[in-house]
Amino acid sequence: DILGLLYDQEYLPGCVGSYMSRDIVSFDIEDDFSDVCECLIHSPYRRVPILREGRLAGMVTRGDLIRVYKERYRPGTGLSSSMQYRDRLLAWDAMTHGILSVRRHASLYDVMDILSARHVTGLPVVDERMCLEGIITEKDVLQYIRDPKVLDTPVQNHMTIEVVAFEQTARLWDVCECLIRHDFRRVPIVSQNTLVGIVARADIIRVMTSIFKCARDPTGR
């Protein structure tokens, strides 16, 4: 909401109530957890409010889902032996292809445009050979969003150069552990430093929940 509103303004007058979204997807505390999971997998937003008798009781985020399912997959929980398959999953089993990226000379405003229009939280920065050079996130943009002069400066002035990335043959479980420990929501996947995909929290949830369903019901029903 903020990125969309701040394109041509230095600041937003008034209070939060003037700009907030009122058409909210929420769940009751008694709702089935799998419904929350499905919602966060297939929706662009990354968290939903949880209500108790119409009052806010908490939030569930994609990161929360990863932690819950991680515990369910822990060895010794009594699940079907087919659950051991998750230990053989690699980054390329969950990564998204055809990813959005920018060059280091693109402007910060161009990044704002992509983040706002495509509902992503960050963009890899690559060279002409698709070699990974850095990453620019919505958090980076928000640091400068109130200074219009900065929006015309190149991405290379604001991107993070020390990027956490994984080879496409890395264990998906290791990627999952990384996303649990850190506050970023996705990591680039590379092959000899060439960007080949992205793995986001939602991608891991999608793959692991499908395994969990198979473990509970091998017939796939």
Side-chain angles (χ1 to χ4, degrees), residues 142-220:
L142 286 172
Q143 295 183 50
Y144 305 101
I145 204 167
R146 298 179 69 177
D147 185 356
K149 296 178 181 178
V150 179
L151 299 183
D152 289 328
T153 58
V155 167
Q156 65 184 8
N157 294 357
H158 313 288
M159 68 183 185
T160 298
I161 297 177
E162 296 181 1
V163 182
V164 176
F166 287 84
E167 283 286 330
Q168 60 182 349
T169 53
R171 292 197 318 153
L172 187 60
W173 202 240
D174 293 335
V175 179
C176 180
E177 293 272 14
C178 174
L179 291 176
I180 290 172
R181 291 195 308 268
H182 297 89
D183 62 355
F184 40 79
R185 301 181 178 89
R186 63 193 68 211
V187 290
I189 306 300
V190 299
S191 175
Q192 298 180 347
N193 202 43
T194 299
L195 184 66
V196 294
I198 287 282
V199 170
R201 291 175 178 175
D203 297 323
I204 296 177
I205 294 170
R206 171 177 49 80
V207 171
M208 290 189 172
T209 50
S210 66
I211 295 174
F212 183 62
K213 287 177 182 178
C214 290
R216 295 185 65 183
D217 185 359
T219 66

Side-chain angles (χ1 to χ4, degrees), residues 12-192:
L12 296 176
C15 59
V16 171
S18 302
Y19 305 100
M20 67 183 184
S21 299
R22 298 181 182 275
D23 185 14
I24 304 169
V25 174
S26 63
F27 290 86
D28 188 81
I29 200 168
E30 300 294 335
D31 285 341
D32 193 321
F33 185 69
S34 63
D35 292 338
V36 179
C37 184
E38 288 294 322
C39 175
L40 290 177
I41 289 173
H42 298 295
S43 302
Y45 37 83
R46 297 178 292 277
R47 63 197 69 217
V48 289
I50 306 300
L51 310 180
R52 184 199 297 270
E53 297 180 352
R55 294 180 178 273
L56 184 64
M59 298 282 283
V60 171
T61 70
R62 288 177 177 173
D64 295 329
L65 296 183
I66 291 177
R67 282 187 287 273
V68 168
Y69 282 104
K70 176 178 178 291
E71 290 305 313
R72 288 186 179 182
Y73 300 148
R74 188 179 298 279
T77 56
L79 295 178
S80 166
S81 59
S82 65
M83 287 298 293
Q84 297 304 313
Y85 175 67
R86 58 96 169 151
D87 288 322
R88 300 195 296 271
L89 287 172
L90 303 179
W92 64 26
D93 293 314
M95 73 182 187
T96 300
H97 301 267
I99 53 178
L100 296 169
S101 62
V102 293
R103 299 286 181 87
R104 61 167 54 235
H105 298 299
S107 72
L108 205 58
Y109 184 87
D110 292 335
V111 173
M112 287 177 59
D113 191 27
I114 298 173
L115 295 181
S116 181
R118 303 302 292 270
H119 303 289
V120 294
T121 60
L123 294 170
V125 182
V126 297
D127 63 14
E128 64 278 359
R129 296 175 298 167
M130 288 299 289
C131 289
L132 185 64
E133 296 188 313
I135 195 165
I136 183 82
T137 69
E138 60 184 7
K139 184 176 180 180
D140 298 324
V141 173
L142 286 172
Q143 295 183 50
Y144 305 101
I145 204 167
R146 298 179 69 177
D147 185 356
K149 296 178 181 178
V150 179
L151 299 183
D152 289 328
T153 58
V155 167
Q156 65 184 8
N157 294 357
H158 313 288
M159 68 183 185
T160 298
I161 297 177
E162 296 181 1
V163 182
V164 176
F166 287 84
E167 283 286 330
Q168 60 182 349
T169 53
R171 292 197 318 153
L172 187 60
W173 202 240
D174 293 335
V175 179
C176 180
E177 293 272 14
C178 174
L179 291 176
I180 290 172
R181 291 195 308 268
H182 297 89
D183 62 355
F184 40 79
R185 301 181 178 89
R186 63 193 68 211
V187 290
I189 306 300
V190 299
S191 175
Q192 298 180 347

